[in-house]
Each structure stands twice: as C-alpha cells, then as structure tokens.
Amino acid sequence: IKAMAPLLRPAGKIVSTIGAVDESWFAQRKIAAENLYTMDSPQWSHAGLRTLAEMVERQRLRVNIEAEYPLSEALAALERSKSGVNGKIVITVT
C-alpha cells in the first residue's frame, strides 16, 4: 500500500477496507489515509461493495488495475499477485 503514495494527487486520500493502511506513515507524508471498518464494508455486505462501485463510477475513487485474467487462468493470476503488483488483479467470469 505504501507504494501507492506517489500515485495519489495532492490532498488525495487512500482508504483500505482490509486494514492495510499505515495511517501514521501516510500522515507523515501529508496524505490522508484511513482503514475503513464498518458493517457496510465490502467484506461484510453487498451494500458496501455497491457503495465502492458507485464511488468508482462517480470518479471519487480510482482503482489501479494491474492485470485482468479470465477465470480459467486464475492460477496464473494468483502467481502474478505473489510476485508483487502495483494494483489490483481482476479475474473475470463470463
């Protein structure tokens, strides 16, 4: 997550729904950071995931997509994620 710091615009904010943000580390660099823990977060509800999707659609949140794989190549996607990536790896189901 710290590798994302250079990607943020001035006065940007980074939010983690899995508790992965070191808030004090980002604060030292004058970047707003938050670990979001609510019952509406994606891991708890569909409503939370819909909220994140709406934020992306409204361009209030940007997701860096490193790569996209079909479900048939899920193992390759997992191996790529282990090598260290600078964004999300998407697996598509068709």
Side-chain angles (χ1 to χ4, degrees):
I1 297 262
K2 292 177 181 175
M4 303 295 276
L7 302 175
L8 295 170
R9 65 179 177 208
K13 183 174 187 175
I14 188 165
V15 178
S16 172
T17 60
I18 60 170
V21 170
D22 182 342
E23 295 174 357
S24 61
W25 186 90
F26 280 96
Q28 292 172 3
R29 288 152 183 81
K30 303 194 184 329
I31 298 172
E34 180 181 354
N35 286 302
L36 179 67
Y37 300 105
T38 71
M39 294 304 286
D40 285 335
S41 64
Q43 66 265 39
W44 291 102
S45 72
H46 293 279
L49 188 56
R50 279 192 297 274
T51 298
L52 285 177
E54 289 171 7
M55 290 175 72
V56 170
E57 289 170 357
R58 293 182 184 146
Q59 297 182 349
R60 301 275 329 232
L61 175 69
R62 187 174 42 175
V63 178
N64 182 30
I65 297 175
E66 175 81 12
E68 187 173 334
Y69 291 84
L71 182 59
S72 62
E73 296 179 28
L75 184 57
L78 178 62
E79 291 304 316
R80 175 127 182 227
S81 73
K82 290 178 182 179
S83 69
V85 295
N86 238 353
K88 299 294 181 184
I89 294 181
V90 176
I91 297 176
T92 56
V93 180
T94 54

